Amino acid sequence: MTDNKPCRRELLEWINVVSFAVDDVKLFLDTHPCNAEALEFFNEFEKQRVQALKEYARYYGPLTLDTADTEADRWKWINEPWPWQEGGC
């Protein structure tokens, strides 16, 4: 079984897409908290966002503190290239 490493740039782009979707629908839910379709959309994209952040952390180190697996991993991100630096793929 091989572990195919995803393209860093593509994974960051996907994290941006799902993060934007989650943030945007959160604003809508502030004024429409009982909208079932928006809640379903939020739950689906939040799940995809969390999965993408975990996948990024697995291959490239944590982007957020909540994706650090252990106490020692919390500062691992400092050893990796910053997300906006070249060398993504």
Side-chain angles (χ1 to χ4, degrees):
M1 185 167 135
T2 61
D3 197 19
N4 292 333
K5 191 173 186 177
C7 173
R8 173 182 249 155
R9 186 175 299 127
E10 288 176 5
L11 192 49
L12 281 172
E13 286 175 12
W14 179 243
I15 289 169
N16 285 334
V17 167
V18 293
S19 294
F20 179 84
V22 167
D23 289 342
D24 195 46
V25 78
K26 279 192 303 188
L27 294 173
F28 179 81
L29 286 167
D30 284 345
T31 57
H32 302 81
C34 297
N35 185 298
E37 188 177 348
L39 286 167
E40 184 178 328
F41 182 91
F42 173 82
N43 289 332
E44 175 60 31
F45 277 82
E46 175 65 10
K47 184 171 70 174
Q48 290 183 38
R49 181 181 178 276
V50 167
Q51 181 173 342
L53 285 168
K54 286 181 180 180
E55 184 175 7
Y56 188 94
R58 178 178 175 203
Y59 292 103
Y60 303 109
L63 279 176
T64 61
L65 189 58
D66 57 321
T67 57
D69 286 336
T70 66
E71 193 74 27
D73 285 342
R74 286 199 174 167
W75 302 108
K76 255 184 165 176
W77 57 268
I78 197 72
N79 297 324
E80 298 293 328
W82 294 93
W84 55 86
Q85 290 176 322
E86 287 300 315
C89 292

